[in-house]
Amino acid sequence: MHLTTLARHALSRGRTPADTYALLARRTREPLPSARAVCLALTIPLAETTRRLNDCYDALLADHHPGDETDTGELLEALGVFDIPKSLTDTELAVVDQLLAAVDAHGSLRPGHHHGLQRWFTTGNLTTAYLSLTTTRPMPRTGDPARYWTALTTAGELLTTTHHSETRIKYALAHCRSQATRTWLS
């Protein structure tokens, strides 16, 4: 049976992508084709699958050791290799642009936070990305606080056009407006 078909079957039975990878890698002893099969079964386009697997090949897939399949699958999942990309609307793309402007104006965002943002952008979880940035203060020496809070205010306003009843966004937007006003008055 084709590996992608096996992966689809395992996923349809409720296995996680990490478990599915481990199952295939144990069976085939071939980590790269197993990871590729899981990505393709999740309908991640081949070009994107290839890019993602190339990014982690040397660290996770090049040197296979029997018994490491479960750990490797969990790492692949944690790195976002199995994240299903969401097609974003024009408004959502504008939100991402504003969030990226805020990241740029932050001055020194932690690598783990940056990685989380990239995953949320990929999966379309923009509310979580927005809220995570609204609780982070920009670096006063290396960042641009006025630009940071202005970008987050714009992102929040865009999000409220599609998430009318999301109370968390409304509170975060009020906070961003307050911070933007405060930085302009300083």
Side-chain angles (χ1 to χ4, degrees), residues 7-153:
R8 255 188 229 108
H9 179 73
L11 292 166
S12 74
R13 296 283 194 196
R15 285 188 180 263
T16 66
D19 291 339
T20 301
Y21 165 81
L23 174 77
L24 296 177
R26 267 193 294 283
R27 181 176 276 183
T28 66
R29 300 192 195 287
E30 296 185 43
L32 181 60
S34 298
R36 183 181 301 114
V38 173
C39 289
L40 295 175
L42 291 167
T43 68
I44 299 170
L46 180 59
E48 178 65 12
T49 293
T50 301
R51 185 194 63 75
R52 291 179 188 190
L53 294 177
N54 283 343
D55 286 350
C56 67
Y57 178 78
D58 290 335
L60 294 175
L61 302 172
D63 191 20
H64 174 71
H65 297 288
D68 288 349
E69 298 87 0
T70 299
D71 291 340
T72 300
E74 289 173 1
L75 283 170
L76 290 168
E77 193 161 15
L79 289 172
V81 171
F82 301 136
D83 286 352
I84 300 169
K86 178 185 181 276
S87 294
L88 302 178
T89 66
D90 289 341
T91 301
E92 291 169 330
L93 289 171
V95 169
V96 170
D97 286 343
Q98 291 302 312
L99 295 177
L100 289 173
V103 168
D104 186 50
H106 182 273
S108 182
L109 201 62
R110 293 182 340 264
H113 193 174
H114 198 276
H115 174 72
L117 288 168
Q118 288 303 119
R119 290 191 69 192
W120 293 324
F121 295 161
T122 298
T123 59
N125 195 347
L126 303 184
T127 297
T128 302
Y130 174 70
L131 294 173
S132 78
L133 286 171
T134 64
T135 61
T136 304
R137 298 205 176 277
M139 304 303 286
R141 291 194 178 120
T142 58
D144 183 344
R147 204 172 98 218
Y148 181 80
W149 293 114
T150 300
L152 288 179
T153 298

